[in-house]
């Protein structure tokens, strides 16, 4: 009987999963994109549909679909297995299951509880109606309400069918003096979903006029982090990829109002400043990111602080500044989507806003103002990686200050090509090719094993991988790399196997046998030369001792070895 892991690896197409997180394009047999696990400018992240694996040549992260989701979603092996099994209708063997309800189930139960409670709160429904949110939107976003009634929470606690420790571990429900309460009591509650449409946390908005704080979020947990999460990404990721652009707003209601009005390629931070992690996540869908901000001083300053980060991540950053006194929610409700589109048409690169903002404050009409302005903007121009863009901004700076361009170039550093992460491991290239051949064509394993080549392999890692392959095939009677890598406990061996397979991706299958034959000859030649060297050393010792008999025997052995080398390797 197949294990749950084997069945999932056969059913799940790795491309379908990873393309939800990473923008991929086809190159030859594989798909490539920017790695979601480290910063890079040039795509080094590859996905193989044929082998159902991924590998990054930059940071060396790689594996099967399970490994990817564990790393990206920060889940345990068991949680990943259970989530995928649920999505693809695979039954988990009870022996493999943890037999426990996980945090996702607890948060889903809470979502239903809050959503149901909202329908019983006239006050909360009136509040939402005033904000232009009708019953259809309430149901679409699963908006809820925490009534703060301890009795109702006790009933939920009892009837939820979720272990108490799991409910309490969410950090949302707490016990004090024997009473159960939740941190959102008296607030409208908005569930936050991940890209797989799983609830990972909540945002709560007070509906009291003087309620404070106005917004609170779920506590940080293994599945929820404010700096990593983006509200609405579950609904808009496909629109972002299609339009190759996204807009970032700050709040839940900003997002809901824009989305329901027709602006679909939008996401929201959780009431916080935009983080590097959020930008990195969005860059997997598009490199064109526009900030849509409140028209106040604080909103503009918050955006301008991101200039360096946009440059570092090579993002085409733009800004849309709303009229003062408006946020995206209030503006779209007053002016409609037509008004929003008019504002969007006036968007400008974030560095242009930075120029304009500091020109007004520095007063470039005066000498001192020009000096302050140049000192302020030059570090950001220096941070621009794109050479053409940098030249254009220096030209603009020159025009604004009436200072020749070459004076600015004296203080600018030309960017060097970023170094590769890949180490110098050319000595293993032949061994890697062989591993790649054997993983791609297991039928050649028997020939390799029969010739006993493994005993001549001197590279310990290559030798260990080959031994594991032989043992695996002997037990499983087949060899599929996406399941085989699960048995590799040592990360450097997994990296070796994955790199070997991707290195061979564009190799013609007709060359596989030639690669093996060349390796056989290489190993045999190396082994024979080592043997000849040892004979020479022993011969030298025998001559020192004056042992004529051993000298004659060793000379005979050496002649035989040299004859073998001449007849087999010298042409």
């Amino acid at each position: 009987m197949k294990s749950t892991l084997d069945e999932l690896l056969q059913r799940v197409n790795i491309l379908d999963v990873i393309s939800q997180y990473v923008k991929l394009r086809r190159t030859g047999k594989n798909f490539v994109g920017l790695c979601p696990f480290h910063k890079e400018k040039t795509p080094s992240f590859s996905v193989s549909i044929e082998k159902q694996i991924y590998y990054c040549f930059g940071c060396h992260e790689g594996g099967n679909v399970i490994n990817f989701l564990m790393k990206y979603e920060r889940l345990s092996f068991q949680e990943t297995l259970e989530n995928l099994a649920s999505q693809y209708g695979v039954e988990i063997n009870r022996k493999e299951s943890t037999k426990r309800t996980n945090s996702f189930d607890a948060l889903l139960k809470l979502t239903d509880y809050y959503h149901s409670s909202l329908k019983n709160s006239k006050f909360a429904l009136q509040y939402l109606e005033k904000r232009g949110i009708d019953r259809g939107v309430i149901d679409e976003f699963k908006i809820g309400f925490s009534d703060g009634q301890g009795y109702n929470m006790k009933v939920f606690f009892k009837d939820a069918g979720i272990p108490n420790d799991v409910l309490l571990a969410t950090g949302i429900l707490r016990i004090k003096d024997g009473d159960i309460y939740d941190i959102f009591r008296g607030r409208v509650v908005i569930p936050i979903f991940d890209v797989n449409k799983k609830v990972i946390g909540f945002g709560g908005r007070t509906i009291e006029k003087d309620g404070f704080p106005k917004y609170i979020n779920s506590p940080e947990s293994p599945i929820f982090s404010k700096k990593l999460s983006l509200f609405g990404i579950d609904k808009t990721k496909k629109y972002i990829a299609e339009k190759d652009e996204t807009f970032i707003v700050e709040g839940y209601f900003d997002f809901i109002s824009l989305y329901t009005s027709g602006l679909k390629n939008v996401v929201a931070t959780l009431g916080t400043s935009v983080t590097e992690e959020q930008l990195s996540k969005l860059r997997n869908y598009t490199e064109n990111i526009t900030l849509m901000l409140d028209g106040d001083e604080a909103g503009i300053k918050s955006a301008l602080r991101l200039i360096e980060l946009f440059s570092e991540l090579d993002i085409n950053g733009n800004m849309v500044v709303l009229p003062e006194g408006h946020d995206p929610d209030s503006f779209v409700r007053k002016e409609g989507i037509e008004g929003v589109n008019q504002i969007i048409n006036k968007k400008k690169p974030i560095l242009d806003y930075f120029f304009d903002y500091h020109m007004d404050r520095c007063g470039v009409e005066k000498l001192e103002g020009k000096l302050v302005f140049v000192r302020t903007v030059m570090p950001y121009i220096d941070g621009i990686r794109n050479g053409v863009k940098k030249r254009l901004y220096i030209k603009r700076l020159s025009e604004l200050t009436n200072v020749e361009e070459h004076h600015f170039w004296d203080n600018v550093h030309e960017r060097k090509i970023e170094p590769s992460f890949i180490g110098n491991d050319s000595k293993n290239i032949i061994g890697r090719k062989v591993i790649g051949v054997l993983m791609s064509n297991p039928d050649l394993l028997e020939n390799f094993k029969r010739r006993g080549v493994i005993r001549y392999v001197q590279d310990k890692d290559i030798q260990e991988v080959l031994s594991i392959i032989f043992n695996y095939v002997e037990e499983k009677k087949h060899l599929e790399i996406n399941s085989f890598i699960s048995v590799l406990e040592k990360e450097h061996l997994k990296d070796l196997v994955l790199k070997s397979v991707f290195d061979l991706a564009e190799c013609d299958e007709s060359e596989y046998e030639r690669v093996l034959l060349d390796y056989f000859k290489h190993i045999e030649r190396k082994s024979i030369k080592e043997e000849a060297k040892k004979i020479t050393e022993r011969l030298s010792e025998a001559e020192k001792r004056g042992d004529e008999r051993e000298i004659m025997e060793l000379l005979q052995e050496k002649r035989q070895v040299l004859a073998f080398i001449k007849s087999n390797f010298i042409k």
Side-chain angles (χ1 to χ4, degrees):
M1 183 178 177
K2 288 181 183 176
S3 69
T4 303
L5 175 61
D6 288 339
E7 189 166 353
L8 277 172
L9 291 176
Q10 285 197 350
R11 283 204 196 185
V12 180
N13 184 337
I14 194 169
L15 185 67
D16 292 342
V17 174
I18 293 183
S19 60
Q20 295 181 49
Y21 304 84
V22 181
K23 187 177 181 181
L24 298 168
R25 60 181 174 81
R26 182 185 281 276
T27 56
K29 293 181 181 178
N30 299 326
F31 287 78
V32 300
L34 293 170
C35 179
F37 304 124
H38 82 282
K39 294 179 188 176
E40 64 176 2
K41 311 280 284 182
T42 306
S44 60
F45 180 85
S46 294
V47 179
S48 168
I49 302 180
E50 183 184 0
K51 306 299 181 188
Q52 289 293 300
I53 54 173
Y54 73 94
Y55 183 72
C56 175
F57 288 86
C59 66
H60 305 296
E61 277 293 335
N64 55 34
V65 67
I66 304 290
N67 302 129
F68 179 86
L69 289 172
M70 285 174 65
K71 175 76 175 178
Y72 195 95
E73 298 288 356
R74 299 185 302 157
L75 300 175
S76 68
F77 173 80
Q78 191 61 42
E79 286 171 331
T80 306
L81 209 63
E82 289 175 1
N83 290 341
L84 271 181
S86 173
Q87 290 178 47
Y88 285 85
V90 174
E91 185 177 348
I92 294 184
N93 298 332
R94 290 300 93 195
K95 288 181 180 178
E96 295 178 3
S97 177
T98 57
K99 297 185 180 180
R100 67 174 178 84
T101 311
N102 65 29
S103 299
F104 291 115
D105 298 311
L107 294 170
L108 184 59
K109 290 276 187 180
L110 277 168
T111 301
D112 293 337
Y113 168 76
Y114 291 136
H115 189 55
S116 177
S117 297
L118 174 62
K119 296 174 181 177
N120 300 321
S121 173
K122 187 177 180 181
F123 185 43
L125 286 170
Q126 287 175 340
Y127 168 81
L128 290 170
E129 188 177 347
K130 286 179 183 176
R131 300 201 66 147
I133 296 175
D134 59 26
R135 295 295 181 99
V137 176
I138 287 171
D139 289 338
E140 182 179 1
F141 287 87
K142 291 287 183 182
I143 299 172
F145 178 68
S146 174
D147 54 22
Q149 299 297 316
Y151 173 76
N152 291 341
M153 189 53 70
K154 281 184 178 178
V155 172
F156 167 78
F157 214 74
K158 181 181 178 183
D159 297 342
I162 307 285
N164 292 354
D165 62 326
V166 176
L167 285 169
L168 293 171
T170 63
I172 296 166
L173 302 183
R174 298 176 184 179
I175 298 177
K176 185 177 181 181
D177 299 328
D179 291 328
I180 300 167
Y181 71 96
D182 76 297
I183 64 173
F184 297 116
R185 57 194 182 282
R187 294 172 180 270
V188 166
V189 181
I190 303 170
I192 302 162
F193 294 83
D194 67 9
V195 290
N196 293 316
K197 302 186 183 297
K198 284 187 175 292
V199 182
I200 56 173
F202 299 96
R205 208 286 186 191
T206 181
I207 58 176
E208 299 291 341
K209 187 176 180 181
D210 299 318
F212 185 81
K214 189 184 289 186
Y215 287 97
I216 60 173
N217 292 307
S218 290
E220 297 285 307
S221 74
I223 63 173
F224 177 72
S225 170
K226 281 194 294 185
K227 70 178 183 179
L228 293 172
S229 304
L230 287 163
F231 181 70
I233 190 71
D234 58 303
K235 294 180 180 295
T236 63
K237 60 184 180 182
K238 67 175 182 179
Y239 299 111
I240 293 169
E242 285 171 4
K243 294 180 180 295
D244 193 21
E245 181 181 24
T246 188
F247 296 88
I248 301 180
V249 295
E250 287 186 357
Y252 308 104
F253 290 106
D254 292 333
F255 173 91
I256 291 171
S257 293
L258 289 171
Y259 182 84
T260 55
S261 296
L263 188 67
K264 301 294 187 182
N265 54 326
V266 60
V267 293
T269 62
L270 308 185
T272 60
S273 299
V274 180
T275 67
E276 179 180 341
E277 290 82 2
Q278 290 166 337
L279 290 176
S280 295
K281 186 172 284 191
L282 284 172
R283 200 181 65 153
N284 293 323
Y285 302 99
T286 180
E287 293 175 2
N288 302 303
I289 297 175
T290 299
L291 304 172
M292 187 176 289
L293 306 161
D294 300 0
D296 56 16
E297 183 88 359
I300 294 172
K301 282 184 176 179
S302 175
L304 295 179
R305 283 195 290 267
L306 294 171
I307 290 178
E308 195 170 352
L309 189 55
F310 273 55
S311 177
E312 189 177 339
L313 293 173
D314 202 25
I315 289 170
N316 298 319
N318 292 297
M319 278 176 62
V320 169
V321 177
L322 299 172
E324 194 166 351
H326 277 294
D327 57 27
D329 173 40
S330 65
F331 187 77
V332 72
R333 283 195 282 134
K334 182 182 178 183
E335 303 293 340
I337 193 63
E338 296 80 9
V340 172
N341 287 332
Q342 287 177 13
I343 291 288
I344 287 174
N345 289 335
K346 298 176 183 177
K347 69 184 177 185
K348 289 196 294 188
I350 191 169
L351 194 53
D352 285 6
Y353 267 106
F354 188 75
F355 266 64
D356 296 343
Y357 181 83
H358 286 287
M359 275 179 62
D360 292 340
R361 278 149 188 78
C362 295
V364 293
E365 299 84 10
K366 297 180 180 179
L367 178 62
E368 186 61 32
K370 285 184 181 180
L371 290 172
V372 173
F373 178 63
V374 170
R375 282 199 299 267
T376 302
V377 300
M378 274 305 295
Y380 296 96
I381 294 177
D382 193 21
I384 298 173
R385 293 175 179 271
N386 183 293
V388 174
K389 188 185 288 187
K390 179 179 286 188
R391 287 183 178 278
L392 290 173
Y393 275 105
I394 285 182
K395 183 178 181 182
R396 187 183 177 201
L397 183 60
S398 172
E399 292 168 350
L400 290 171
T401 58
N402 291 317
V403 176
E404 291 85 353
E405 290 182 35
H406 69 86
H407 292 297
F408 298 121
W409 280 110
D410 291 341
N411 297 306
V412 167
H413 302 91
E414 292 288 355
R415 295 288 167 185
K416 295 179 180 179
I417 297 172
E418 58 190 57
S420 170
F421 282 85
I422 301 170
N424 181 18
D425 53 359
S426 58
K427 65 177 182 178
N428 292 328
I429 194 166
I430 301 176
R432 286 207 318 270
K433 272 190 176 183
V434 169
I435 288 175
V437 165
L438 295 177
M439 294 302 306
S440 301
N441 194 340
D443 293 340
L444 297 174
L445 273 170
E446 189 56 40
N447 185 20
F448 195 93
K449 192 175 181 181
R450 186 176 63 250
R451 294 185 66 153
V453 178
I454 192 169
R455 68 178 182 271
Y456 298 122
V457 177
Q458 293 182 338
D459 186 290
K460 298 299 181 185
D461 289 339
I462 302 289
Q463 190 178 69
E464 189 173 354
V465 168
L466 290 172
S467 296
I468 296 171
I469 290 174
F470 292 148
N471 293 335
Y472 182 88
V473 172
E474 191 171 331
E475 180 186 345
K476 301 281 188 178
K477 309 303 178 189
H478 67 86
L479 181 62
E480 292 176 1
I481 186 170
N482 62 338
S483 57
F484 170 73
I485 54 176
S486 299
V487 305
L488 296 171
E489 296 178 358
K490 298 178 180 178
E491 284 299 317
H492 72 284
L493 294 185
K494 187 168 81 169
D495 178 74
L496 172 62
V497 171
L498 289 167
K499 192 173 191 309
S500 300
V501 172
F502 275 100
D503 278 347
L504 205 73
E506 302 304 322
C507 181
D508 195 311
E509 290 185 18
S510 62
E511 296 181 21
Y512 286 175
E513 286 195 53
R514 182 189 58 76
V515 170
L516 273 192
L517 288 172
D518 286 348
Y519 189 63
F520 293 156
K521 286 186 176 181
H522 168 74
I523 289 293
E524 286 175 347
R525 182 190 298 118
K526 199 169 183 181
S527 176
I528 293 295
K529 285 183 177 179
E530 285 291 324
E531 189 176 342
K533 184 180 177 182
K534 289 177 182 177
I535 291 173
T536 301
E537 290 172 354
R538 288 168 57 200
L539 188 59
S540 177
E541 291 174 3
E543 288 173 344
K544 287 178 183 177
R545 294 195 307 269
D547 191 335
E548 294 294 334
R549 182 177 177 182
E550 187 174 358
I551 289 171
M552 294 303 293
E553 290 174 355
L554 289 171
L555 285 172
Q556 180 61 25
E557 283 184 42
K558 190 170 183 178
R559 278 193 290 270
Q560 290 173 352
V561 168
L562 292 174
F564 183 84
I565 292 173
K566 186 175 181 179
S567 60
N568 287 275
F569 303 124
I570 298 175
K571 294 183 180 180

